[in-house]
């Protein structure tokens, strides 16, 4: 649907949320054993794998990083491309878990607003 209407998807908390969320790093995608395994295979970090997975599928990812190490890593994504089998493997990690509201229901009230053509 987004492709058809030329809508570009922006990743909300692309690395699984900042410290504001209270989610421990151990519960974030950067700690997932499969992500770590893929990162080791390419010689990059788990965060880089996640960001590349988004970018290679046409999504916009704007991660937040305070540490210099993470800032540099997040800008250094051109040295590798994930192979199709790794992208598929990461897609299969979906757990339908949301840290924020479900866009299908979070703003039900707004559905009553008239949006002109
Ligand atoms: N308007 C809103 O309500 C709202 C809510 C959420 C998000 N956002 C937007 O989304 C953006 C980012 O979301 P977010 O801050 O929730 O979190 P995020 O970008 O998903 O994750 C940030 C966390 O990941 C760490 N990190 C950054 N690069 C990493 C890497 N390469 N490897 C491992 N860890 C890494 C950061 O650590 P360090 O900081 O220590 O480097 C930080 O703890 C924000 O800048 C904001 O624009 C907006």
């Amino acid at each position: 649907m987004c492709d058809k209407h030329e809508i570009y998807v922006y990743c909300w908390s692309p690395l699984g949320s900042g410290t504001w969320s209270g989610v421990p790093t151990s519960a974030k995608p950067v700690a997932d054993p499969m992500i770590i395994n893929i990162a080791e295979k390419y010689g990059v970090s788990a965060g880089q794998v996640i960001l590349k997975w988004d970018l290679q599928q046409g999504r916009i990812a704007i991660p937040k990083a305070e540490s210099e190490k993470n800032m540099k890593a997040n800008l250094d994504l051109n040295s590798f491309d994930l192979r199709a089998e790794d992208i598929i493997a990461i897609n299969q990690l979906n757990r339908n878990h949301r840290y924020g509201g479900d866009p299908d229901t979070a703003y039900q009230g707004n559905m009553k607003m008239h949006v002109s053509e």
Side-chain angles (χ1 to χ4, degrees), residues 10-21 23 25 28-30 45-51 61-75 77 107:
Y10 161 72
C11 307
W12 190 79
S13 296
L15 293 169
S17 73
T19 48
W20 58 267
S21 67
V23 178
T25 302
K28 292 183 185 178
V30 286
S45 71
Q48 288 172 302
V49 166
I50 294 167
L51 296 174
I62 307 178
K64 170 254 168 193
E66 285 180 27
S67 65
E68 189 178 338
K69 180 176 163 236
N70 286 340
M71 283 184 204
K72 282 184 173 164
N74 297 347
L75 290 168
L77 301 174
Y107 297 105

